[in-house]
Every structure is written in structure tokens, then in C-alpha cells.
Amino acid sequence: MLDRTLAPEVKKISRVDFQKIEKRELDNGSQLAMLIAGNQPVIKLEVLFHQAGTIREQQRGSASMALRMLKEGTASYSSTAITNLFSKLGAYIEINPSFDHASLSIYCLDKHIPQILPILSEIIGSPSFDAGEWQLQQELQIAQLRLQNKRNNILASKQIRQEIFGAGHPYGRIISEQDLQVLKPAQLREFWNSNKNNFEVFLSGRPSDSTINSIQELFENRSFEAVSIENEFIDSVKSTFPSNQSVQASIRLGKRTLIKTDPDYIPLLITNHVLGGYFGSRLMKNIREDKGLTYGISSSLVPLQKESYWVLGAEVNIDNVELALAEINQEISRLADFDDVAELETAKRHMTGSFQSELNTPFSLMNRYKAVHLHGLDYSYYDRFFELLNSFSITDLKNTASQYLVGTHLEKVIIN
């Protein structure tokens, strides 16, 4: 009989095996990556446009707003018709603008693909950028921006990027109401038409053979142009934010750091996990549990394609800002003298468990592929991750912390 008074044996995991993608090169040179798994006939079809990120835009806001306008009408379908049909089919369109690229995803039942693909083809190939629809979308996004700018945590996250990279750097730009107000449909159309032809397709879930064939036929018949354009960083006015007169302040500390392809990126990732990467981290134990200064505090690495940055965030009572900053700086400094073997092992086990927990759906398995592929890496990154994680020692942590965190200059933003 099972003795429930005894804790289960802890077993060390040296590696995690998971299903890999199948890749097809289409006739036009574009790529189709497939992750066929799961029991339900549900699929996610994602089209990623490598040149449609905000780093390519000449007018601030044109990249994200062009993407948002794609589902607001095409040559043959009005925005209402698109919305009604997708609602009827139980399908969903997801728009994901980002700094480096942009993507459009569709979640649906496999059986509805024949009805959805013709619309998707027009959404990508012939969006209308109708002036009336643009006015509605413009007003909506301005209203959402105003709401965001009333939240200290969002303002602080925006401003720390600007402090780290500079207002003229694409990663440091902040979109304002005025940027949205001056945009014209013609500018959105020009951006989209200039940047839509370098794309990649990701298909995950349980598609039928006919669905795979239909998707392959659709995209290999599209114009494809695999070009790489180096972005020119342009001067930009630095944005400042007025105080929201809140009793709670948002603290952000940050700096530029290693890109994902750097050999020291994984050691730094592990070191950061000990500092502020999970609920049992040093920052949480000190600032939240011991001092009671915040409900939550964390630090993380944000890997982008051209650059990366490290950021720490917390929300504290305005009267406790200086005390919180002092304790944060102390915890960073203490990493140089780290000596707790059990604490390091706990953090390493948490990283392993978190990795495993994110492999439970076809969609999450595809995300694991994209997380390395979009940085020019392959699955061998994960082999190296577990190799370093298992061998990572106290000496490794102290050396990594001393080189990349302890005593380095950190940009600071406090919004209240």
C-alpha cells in the first residue's frame, strides 16, 4: 500500500524529449513548419511576416496598425462579413504585432478550412484599408492607449525600454496619440504591400491531409521574396509621462544584455532565475515575503533579434520606493557571494519543471520551435540548455552574476 506520509522520490531530469516539427520548403521558396499532434481536430495556422515588425516602419504606429486593419475588410469581404463568418464557424483570428516581425493566426476546426482559406488569402493579399474602417480602428486604438497610459505598470515598462535603448532606437520608440492621429490609410497600405512578401507558415494541431495540401497550395502560389533589410535607426523625440498621482509606484530597472545566440545567454538565464525568475526567487523572498513591500517582483531576460535586455519590475507603496530599491540592489550584489547549494538546485528543478509544463499541446510544442528558430537557432539549443542546467554550479553563478549583473549600470524608471 502507498504510504502517503512519505514524499515522492525526487529524480533528476537530465533532458526532456519532445516532438519536433516537420518542415517543408514550398515551390516559391517559403517554409511550412508542421507540428501534427493531439486528438482533437483543431488547428492553429500562423503566418509570420519577417519584415512587418515595428523596426521596419518609417511612421510610428504604421506596422501595428497595418496589421490590425487586415481583418477590417478586403476586396470581397466587409469587416462585418468576416466577423460574422468567423463567429459562425467558431474560428478566431489573432493579430500579433511585435518589434521584429508580425504574425496573423487562425484557430479553427479542421473541417472549416475550405471556407476560411479564401478569406485568409484576401486578408493577406488584398486588404481594403477602407477610410471609414480606419477611422473606427483609429479611435479605438487611441482610446485603448489612453487607458493604458493611466496604468503605472504599463508606463514604466514603456519608459524603461526607452531609457535602455534610446528614443531613436526601434526598440525604444513609444507610440503616442499624436502618432496615431496623423496616420493615413495610404501609409498603412504602403507599409503592408512593401513588407508582406517575406513570410513563413506554421501549422499545428490535428489537420487532415486535405487541409495540409490546401494550405501548401495556397502559400506556394503567393509571391515570396526572402530579403533581409537592415533597419536604419531614426532620430525620435523622447517621450515623457506625467504622474498619475497614485499611492503606488511602479519600479523598473534594466539594461541591455546578451542576445540568445551568445554562449553565456543560458548561464545568465539560470542566474536570473535564482534572482527573480520565479516565485521562490531571492527577490520574492526578500522584497515580498520578508519585507512585505510588494505583492510581486520579478526579473527576466527579453530576447529580441537585434538586441536583448534584462528588466526588473515591482509595484510598491510610494513611501517604500527607496527601501525597495536598496533591498533590490543588495540582492543583486549578494549574487557575487552566493553559496547556497540547495537554493540553486531548487531553482534548477523549477526551470526543468516549467519547461516540461509548457509541452502539453501542439501549439506549445510549436512555440518551442519558434523560440529558437526565430533567433537563427535549432533544437540543439535545448540540448545545450539542459546540459548547462545540470552542470551549472555555484561558481558558475557567481562568475556570471559578477560579469553581467553585479556592479553594472542599470537604467531606472519610477512612475507614480
Side-chain angles (χ1 to χ4, degrees):
M1 180 180 293
L2 180 65
D3 186 350
R4 298 187 182 278
T5 65
L6 299 177
E9 180 185 357
V10 175
K11 296 183 178 180
K12 191 171 184 178
I13 298 174
S14 60
R15 60 174 294 161
V16 174
D17 293 318
F18 55 95
Q19 184 177 337
K20 311 301 192 296
I21 63 105
E22 173 192 343
K23 182 181 289 187
R24 294 185 184 181
E25 182 168 339
L26 306 185
D27 289 345
N28 61 358
S30 62
Q31 300 285 334
L32 169 62
M34 298 187 295
L35 199 296
I36 313 302
N39 297 319
Q40 301 301 318
V42 179
I43 67 169
K44 176 184 178 182
L45 173 60
E46 178 179 6
V47 189
L48 186 139
F49 304 93
H50 289 283
Q51 292 176 222
T54 58
I55 64 172
R56 307 293 185 191
E57 64 186 14
Q58 296 302 311
Q59 296 85 22
R60 279 191 293 184
S62 58
S64 60
M65 296 311 298
L67 193 67
R68 295 183 192 280
M69 283 294 293
L70 295 184
K71 60 186 179 65
E72 302 303 321
T74 70
S76 303
Y77 302 91
S78 67
S79 62
T80 301
I82 294 173
T83 300
N84 289 343
L85 181 58
F86 272 74
S87 178
K88 175 184 176 182
L89 299 178
Y92 175 68
I93 301 180
E94 183 178 72
I95 300 294
N96 286 303
S98 70
F99 294 112
D100 296 308
H101 44 70
S103 70
L104 185 153
S105 301
I106 292 179
Y107 299 82
C108 68
L109 292 174
D110 175 75
K111 66 181 181 180
H112 294 319
I113 276 292
Q115 294 170 270
I116 288 175
L117 287 186
I119 301 177
L120 176 61
S121 180
E122 285 207 16
I123 286 175
I124 296 172
S126 55
S128 62
F129 294 106
D130 177 77
E133 294 289 350
W134 163 240
Q135 184 176 0
L136 293 175
Q137 193 65 215
Q138 184 183 42
E139 292 172 355
L140 175 62
Q141 295 304 318
I142 289 174
Q144 290 183 349
L145 185 60
R146 288 173 180 167
L147 288 175
Q148 290 177 357
N149 288 343
K150 292 180 180 179
R151 297 177 56 184
N152 290 343
N153 61 328
I154 293 179
L155 292 182
S157 296
K158 289 180 179 180
Q159 193 158 335
I160 194 63
R161 280 194 295 100
Q162 184 173 255
E163 295 297 327
I164 292 170
F165 293 109
H169 193 292
Y171 293 156
R173 295 181 198 151
I174 297 173
I175 296 176
S176 67
E177 287 186 37
Q178 184 179 9
D179 294 326
L180 298 180
Q181 288 168 348
V182 300
L183 279 177
K184 305 297 182 186
Q187 294 171 315
L188 307 183
R189 181 181 295 106
E190 180 182 3
F191 177 86
W192 182 246
N193 288 338
S194 299
N195 295 287
K196 68 182 180 182
N197 289 333
N198 187 344
F199 62 87
E200 193 168 1
V201 185
F202 304 92
L203 176 63
S204 52
R206 182 56 66 180
S208 61
D209 290 341
S210 61
T211 288
I212 294 173
N213 292 335
S214 296
I215 290 172
Q216 178 171 329
E217 181 180 357
L218 171 64
F219 287 102
E220 68 185 0
N221 288 327
R222 295 202 63 80
S223 176
F224 174 77
E225 185 179 5
V227 297
S228 177
I229 301 174
E230 289 298 322
N231 185 68
E232 295 182 4
F233 298 161
I234 60 174
D235 291 333
S236 181
V237 177
K238 186 173 182 178
S239 301
T240 56
F241 300 102
S243 171
N244 284 326
Q245 301 300 318
S246 172
V247 297
Q248 183 167 274
S250 289
I251 297 173
R252 296 292 184 274
L253 301 176
K255 58 171 289 188
R256 294 192 194 201
T257 193
L258 307 174
I259 61 174
K260 201 164 187 173
T261 55
D262 192 288
D264 284 345
Y265 178 85
I266 295 174
L268 182 57
L269 191 68
I270 301 169
T271 301
N272 174 76
H273 205 69
V274 173
L275 174 65
Y278 74 117
F279 196 79
S281 70
R282 290 197 154 196
L283 289 174
M284 285 291 282
K285 289 176 180 178
N286 182 348
I287 314 301
R288 182 186 191 272
E289 296 179 16
D290 294 345
K291 303 298 188 302
L293 300 179
T294 183
Y295 181 77
I297 182 170
S298 65
S299 60
S300 61
L301 278 67
V302 183
L304 303 169
Q305 287 184 340
K306 303 289 186 181
E307 304 263 8
S308 292
Y309 65 102
W310 175 86
V311 64
L312 181 152
E315 320 300 316
V316 304
N317 187 289
I318 192 171
D319 295 330
N320 294 327
V321 168
E322 294 305 320
L323 175 58
L325 287 172
E327 293 296 330
I328 289 168
N329 289 325
Q330 192 173 57
E331 285 301 332
I332 294 174
S333 297
R334 284 175 176 163
L335 291 175
D337 301 313
F338 186 91
D339 63 356
D340 193 325
V341 175
E343 182 181 2
L344 177 57
E345 287 304 310
T346 297
K348 290 164 63 174
R349 285 197 299 269
H350 184 270
M351 292 188 80
T352 301
S354 296
F355 188 97
Q356 289 177 297
S357 69
E358 295 172 1
L359 301 174
N360 55 1
T361 70
F363 306 156
S364 58
L365 288 168
M366 180 62 82
N367 286 339
R368 279 296 176 191
Y369 167 69
K370 288 166 50 187
V372 292
H373 171 66
L374 295 178
H375 292 272
L377 298 165
D378 56 28
Y379 283 117
S380 64
Y381 170 89
Y382 295 120
D383 295 331
R384 184 168 182 270
F385 171 80
F386 283 105
E387 178 184 340
L388 289 175
L389 185 62
N390 287 316
S391 65
F392 199 73
S393 66
I394 285 178
T395 300
D396 295 327
L397 188 148
K398 292 196 292 186
N399 290 340
T400 303
S402 297
Q403 184 172 359
Y404 298 110
L405 290 174
V406 178
T408 62
H409 173 72
L410 300 178
E411 301 296 341
K412 178 174 67 176
V413 168
I414 300 170
I415 300 286
N416 65 276

